Amino acid sequence: MVKTLKHLFEQAYSLPHDWLICEHSHQFLQLTEKFYLELKQFSHCQTPPKIILAEREPARFLAGFLAACASNSSVFLCNPNWVKHEWQQVLELVQPDIIWGIELRGHREVGTRGSGELRGCGEKETLGRFSDSPQIMIPTGGSSGKIKFAIHTWDTLIASVHGFTEYFQLHQVNSFCVLPLYHVSGLMQFMRCFITSGKLVILPFQQLEFGQLVNINLSDFFISLVPTQLQRLLQNLDLTQWLSQFQTVLLGGAPAWDELLEKARYYQIHLSLTYGMTETASGIATLKPDDFLHGKVNCGQILPHAKVTICSEQGEVLHTNQIGNIAIQAKSLYLGYYPLNTAFRVANSGSVSIFKTDDLGFFDNEGYLNIIGRSSSKIITGGENVYPLEIEAAIRATAMVTDICVIGIPDQDWGQAVTAIYVPKHENTSLEEIQNLLKDKLSKFKIPKYWIPVQFLPRNSQGKINRQQLQQEAREYLKIRQKPEEPLRPCGLSAL
């Protein structure tokens, strides 16, 4: 547990001078001290300040994060690109004492990048057994689109690092980060490198696509990607060869599809499929690259800091090859969503919490975790259970779409109607041909009833689709169809 500034700075000063490679990385230590000194204004307060951290520059973001943790503050990691209504939601929820990184004129208060806007000290809040550790709020919204913050501590993040290094049998982790630092997938890359004295390279994904590479020995590095990023890199032969040099390519954030995985295997990409989430401080199950290259396509085995059980809807623990909801116990498990209510704190203080996810999966005969999809995404049509991932994979396998999302639309006859929202590969792509190709791959009730072509699907930076928003737009679109039997023309969903 980190309790003092001295402990953190000793770690930071002990790192090699070139451990951090990014814009203004040489200012990291100086910036960390500057941020910490700013927080001393709150030394008279009963409880440390609540900080919104939305710095765009990586060195400033990491310096602010480290200073906040060193002062045992409550730090809320935020996306500087959130729009007005999102910031209004966050500011109302957080009521920050200080804002680093952005100006929020017209929203509420203004925080300047050099010195944040100060407010009064908040009421003291304790979190049971973790009250002595910095509180780290990591944003999550996933497919719902509504921003909320999962409460972590330095201890939960450290537990994730230890589970990762033990699983891969590493003493040092070097990472090439192209994911946002405010998201758990980017933050944990910093944590692994900082704790193990490894190197961290930070490069915006767009610069990577433009070929602005860093001269390092890639065989010593991990890189984390979401499926849409992997797809774009594999479209460029030079970047494909570059990617194949990495020690490990962690892939997560959203489901990958068979065609993408087959292409990665063809090019000998050392892919490591992962399963985890913000609530677990990133991965708690990972498929090792050798397993992937030998044909496996699941999420691998459970990391040593976690335990996973498969449960029925009634809570009964299921056996091998039985599909059920995934329940997680982990040292890296979050404390709850901000703000914690009294009942939650009392129920979980001093106990081992179990996180019951919305994900469906099973363990196979080798003890590998297989993900089927989300329980909330399951479509029940005519009394039959349909899982979107299966249908999306079959549609992708036709090689006639570049992106696909399958959802269930309320239907008075069938309960729900399977609906495909897709991006055609070409302007003249034949829907009839796609449907014919599916006849031998899917049961009749699984073939989508409605097809909505769009220019692109709305995905966030982690590759996740806001399914609730997409469903609402699709329902509105279907209402204005003139005749059910007419083929659907491209709609305005691309503007989401």
Side-chain angles (χ1 to χ4, degrees):
M1 180 183 296
V2 175
K3 295 183 179 179
T4 65
L5 172 70
K6 181 179 179 181
H7 185 110
L8 275 178
F9 267 102
E10 285 178 351
Q11 173 67 12
Y13 277 107
S14 70
L15 296 172
H17 72 280
D18 61 345
W19 79 275
L20 179 62
I21 302 175
C22 67
E23 187 178 8
H24 306 306
S25 57
H26 62 285
Q27 299 177 357
F28 172 71
L29 290 174
Q30 179 184 355
L31 288 169
T32 304
E33 293 175 349
K34 180 180 178 182
F35 279 120
Y36 181 77
L37 289 174
E38 186 173 335
L39 295 178
K40 290 187 69 175
Q41 299 175 70
F42 292 85
S43 59
H44 66 284
C45 294
Q46 183 182 18
T47 186
K50 290 183 291 184
I51 304 166
I52 276 185
L53 177 58
E55 292 284 354
R56 293 183 183 277
E57 295 178 7
R60 294 187 66 90
F61 183 96
L62 295 178
F65 174 74
L66 199 62
C69 291
S71 65
N72 201 23
S73 299
S74 297
V75 58
F76 295 77
L77 310 186
C78 295
N79 179 358
N81 295 318
W82 280 335
V83 296
K84 182 177 180 179
H85 79 272
E86 291 170 320
W87 274 117
Q88 288 174 336
Q89 176 191 151
V90 169
L91 290 172
E92 183 177 349
L93 175 67
V94 176
Q95 297 289 305
D97 299 301
I98 188 168
I99 299 170
W100 283 337
I102 55 171
E103 291 189 359
L104 297 176
R105 297 184 187 279
H107 294 281
R108 182 174 167 275
E109 297 187 22
V110 179
T112 61
R113 197 164 67 173
S115 58
E117 181 79 9
L118 304 182
R119 299 179 62 250
C121 301
E123 296 180 1
K124 188 173 182 178
E125 178 180 10
T126 60
L127 299 174
R129 65 190 188 279
F130 292 106
S131 59
D132 292 329
S133 186
Q135 298 167 26
I136 300 160
M137 321 300 177
I138 306 178
T140 181
S143 58
S144 69
K146 183 178 180 180
I147 299 170
K148 52 187 177 182
F149 290 92
I151 305 174
H152 277 280
T153 68
W154 190 269
D155 295 337
T156 62
L157 302 189
I158 291 293
S160 177
V161 172
H162 290 167
F164 184 91
T165 54
E166 183 178 345
Y167 185 74
F168 282 103
Q169 298 183 358
L170 299 168
H171 295 292
Q172 186 178 75
V173 180
N174 302 313
S175 287
F176 194 108
C177 182
V178 296
L179 293 170
L181 294 171
Y182 62 81
H183 189 268
V184 69
S185 57
L187 180 69
M188 290 312 301
Q189 292 181 68
F190 161 74
M191 290 295 296
R192 292 168 194 151
C193 298
F194 184 79
I195 297 303
T196 67
S197 301
K199 288 190 175 183
L200 176 63
V201 178
I202 304 175
L203 187 72
F205 185 74
Q206 188 176 30
Q207 292 185 28
L208 175 60
E209 284 191 293
F210 289 156
Q212 300 178 22
L213 307 180
V214 179
N215 185 20
I216 55 174
N217 183 7
L218 298 178
S219 63
D220 294 332
F221 278 76
F222 283 71
I223 186 172
S224 296
L225 301 172
V226 298
T228 52
Q229 290 176 326
L230 177 61
Q231 180 186 40
R232 287 158 68 174
L233 294 181
L234 293 181
Q235 291 171 351
N236 182 320
L237 186 57
D238 289 338
L239 291 177
T240 298
Q241 294 174 343
W242 174 82
L243 194 61
S244 67
Q245 298 175 53
F246 276 90
Q247 176 182 347
T248 304
V249 179
L250 299 167
L251 188 70
W257 48 96
D258 290 343
E259 181 186 14
L260 179 67
L261 299 179
E262 289 171 4
K263 190 171 184 179
R265 191 176 293 113
Y266 174 80
Y267 286 109
Q268 292 292 291
I269 307 297
H270 298 91
L271 210 61
S272 182
L273 304 179
T274 67
Y275 172 74
M277 57 204 74
T278 306
E279 291 81 354
T280 60
S282 73
I284 50 95
T286 301
L287 182 71
K288 292 184 177 178
D290 285 346
D291 283 334
F292 170 76
L293 292 175
H294 285 91
K296 293 188 183 298
V297 292
N298 51 49
C299 292
Q301 297 173 307
I302 307 303
L303 273 61
H305 69 289
K307 178 183 178 181
V308 171
T309 52
I310 308 297
C311 303
S312 67
E313 293 182 359
Q314 293 72 35
E316 177 188 3
V317 176
L318 301 178
H319 302 295
T320 300
N321 295 316
Q322 290 184 306
I323 297 174
N325 282 95
I326 295 172
I328 302 169
Q329 292 176 265
K331 295 178 181 178
S332 64
L333 193 62
Y334 77 138
L335 279 63
Y337 298 111
Y338 184 87
L340 286 182
N341 58 48
T342 302
F344 186 99
R345 290 200 295 270
V346 171
N348 292 277
S349 179
S351 66
V352 177
S353 300
I354 299 177
F355 180 49
K356 298 177 181 178
T357 75
D358 186 45
D359 297 320
L360 295 170
F362 66 92
F363 282 110
D364 60 25
N365 295 328
E366 297 180 86
Y368 287 70
L369 181 64
N370 294 257
I371 306 298
I372 301 299
R374 284 183 170 268
S375 179
S376 58
S377 299
K378 179 176 67 176
I379 302 168
I380 303 177
T381 179
E384 300 282 358
N385 292 339
V386 174
Y387 298 99
L389 285 182
E390 177 190 5
I391 303 173
E392 290 168 359
I395 295 173
R396 285 186 184 277
T398 66
M400 300 186 70
V401 304
T402 59
D403 207 356
I404 176 70
C405 180
V406 172
I407 60 177
I409 297 295
D411 185 277
Q412 61 180 2
D413 296 321
W414 301 98
Q416 288 180 294
V418 181
T419 302
I421 304 171
Y422 69 105
V423 180
K425 195 166 189 176
H426 305 290
E427 290 185 4
N428 59 350
T429 294
S430 168
L431 176 57
E432 184 178 359
E433 187 175 349
I434 296 176
Q435 293 171 321
N436 287 335
L437 290 172
L438 293 177
K439 289 180 179 178
D440 295 331
K441 298 180 179 181
L442 296 173
S443 300
K444 186 176 181 180
F445 67 87
K446 295 180 180 179
I447 296 178
K449 180 179 180 181
Y450 297 120
W451 295 78
I452 305 178
V454 297
Q455 294 179 2
F456 63 87
L457 293 176
R459 293 182 179 272
N460 64 16
S461 58
Q462 283 72 54
K464 295 181 180 178
I465 294 175
N466 185 336
R467 289 178 177 268
Q468 291 183 7
Q469 184 177 359
L470 195 60
Q471 185 177 86
Q472 180 180 350
E473 294 289 340
R475 290 170 67 177
E476 290 296 321
Y477 176 67
L478 293 175
K479 283 181 182 179
I480 63 174
R481 293 180 65 230
Q482 294 181 351
K483 296 180 181 180
E485 64 273 11
E486 289 181 354
L488 298 177
R489 298 178 180 179
C491 68
L493 288 171
S494 59
L496 287 177

